[in-house]
Amino acid sequence: HLHFAPTTGIAGDMTVAALVDAGVPDSVVLEAVHAMRVTGLVVGFHEEPGISGLHFDVYWGAPHHGHGHDHGHEHSAVAHDRHHHHHRPYAEIRRMLQEANLPPGCRALAEKMFARLAVVEARIHGQTVEDVTFHEVGAFDSIADIVGVAAAVAWLAPSSISASAPLLGAGNIECAHGTLPVPAPATASLLAGFPTLEGGDGELTTPTGALVLTSLVDKFGP
């Protein structure tokens, strides 16, 4: 059984790091992200000095070697990045997932999450699902997060998944659509009908974090 405890919020990179810290081989995540073949996308893991916890690092461009505690290895990817990385049509992401050499379970989970997100984005922006173009969540880091989570969960193959209520945060954020309140519209829409905790400072539960919880969790509880 897998239980998420996002009582201080949740984001995609946090989730990937936690799953690898819990025992998923880092190669499972790195190879899945590499299989997406996004030009310039570099991912890796490092442990923060003095803190027992793992970080999932996502970079755009040349491999980054600023951390002295890299865990595993980094991959840069090649070939499919024909659009600016901050604007990516849902149809392109769906094609990338279909063409990528991913384990079937990983591909199915990633497709499920992106499809759910496309429905939410279409409703928010008054578009059809086929016309949706992802902005921040379609950028290189979010592709890495969603595919990384899908790969890790598929590898674990838990019999069930539960979660505590996530802490949302407060304030405002700047994004492609200007200044928005926290939780962002996509986060609020994804979590509609699910238990949440109010409070905190800043965006503590991101759209990708909300997407992970609402796409994978069977039951919410303590």
Side-chain angles (χ1 to χ4, degrees), residues 103-177:
C106 170
R107 178 184 292 108
L109 286 177
E111 287 179 338
K112 175 182 178 180
M113 285 191 277
F114 273 114
R116 175 169 168 73
L117 186 61
V119 170
V120 167
E121 290 286 343
R123 183 165 60 244
I124 290 172
H125 299 294
Q127 299 174 310
T128 66
V129 169
E130 292 303 316
D131 290 334
V132 165
T133 297
F134 296 129
H135 296 286
E136 279 82 358
V137 82
F140 59 90
D141 53 345
S142 295
I143 290 175
D145 291 346
I146 292 171
V147 173
V149 168
V153 171
W155 185 89
L156 283 171
S159 58
S160 58
I161 303 176
S162 61
S164 310
L167 185 66
L168 298 180
N172 297 299
I173 55 170
E174 298 296 328
C175 69
H177 302 288

Side-chain angles (χ1 to χ4, degrees), residues 16 19-21 23-35 43-45 54 56 71-75 101-103 106 147-148 151-152 155:
V16 174
L19 290 168
V20 170
D21 207 33
V24 176
D26 60 359
S27 60
V28 168
V29 170
L30 299 176
E31 290 171 7
V33 176
H34 181 229
V43 293
F45 292 92
L54 201 63
F56 180 49
H71 185 78
H73 54 286
E74 294 180 335
H75 285 300
N101 183 23
L102 296 170
C106 170
V147 173
W155 185 89

Side-chain angles (χ1 to χ4, degrees), residues 7-131:
T7 51
T8 57
I10 183 171
D13 58 337
M14 295 165 56
T15 308
V16 174
L19 290 168
V20 170
D21 207 33
V24 176
D26 60 359
S27 60
V28 168
V29 170
L30 299 176
E31 290 171 7
V33 176
H34 181 229
M36 291 296 289
R37 299 170 56 122
V38 180
T39 303
L41 177 59
V42 180
V43 293
F45 292 92
H46 83 276
E47 294 181 3
E48 192 70 25
I51 299 176
S52 179
L54 201 63
H55 289 244
F56 180 49
D57 303 311
V58 182
Y59 305 104
W60 181 259
H64 182 87
H65 298 291
H67 298 296
H69 297 266
D70 287 338
H71 185 78
H73 54 286
E74 294 180 335
H75 285 300
S76 60
V78 294
H80 280 318
D81 195 35
R82 293 193 293 268
H83 294 271
H84 189 279
H85 65 269
H86 282 299
H87 303 272
R88 198 176 297 274
Y90 169 55
E92 182 188 355
I93 294 178
R94 188 171 57 194
R95 175 186 58 77
M96 292 168 65
L97 287 169
Q98 292 169 347
E99 294 178 357
N101 183 23
L102 296 170
C106 170
R107 178 184 292 108
L109 286 177
E111 287 179 338
K112 175 182 178 180
M113 285 191 277
F114 273 114
R116 175 169 168 73
L117 186 61
V119 170
V120 167
E121 290 286 343
R123 183 165 60 244
I124 290 172
H125 299 294
Q127 299 174 310
T128 66
V129 169
E130 292 303 316
D131 290 334

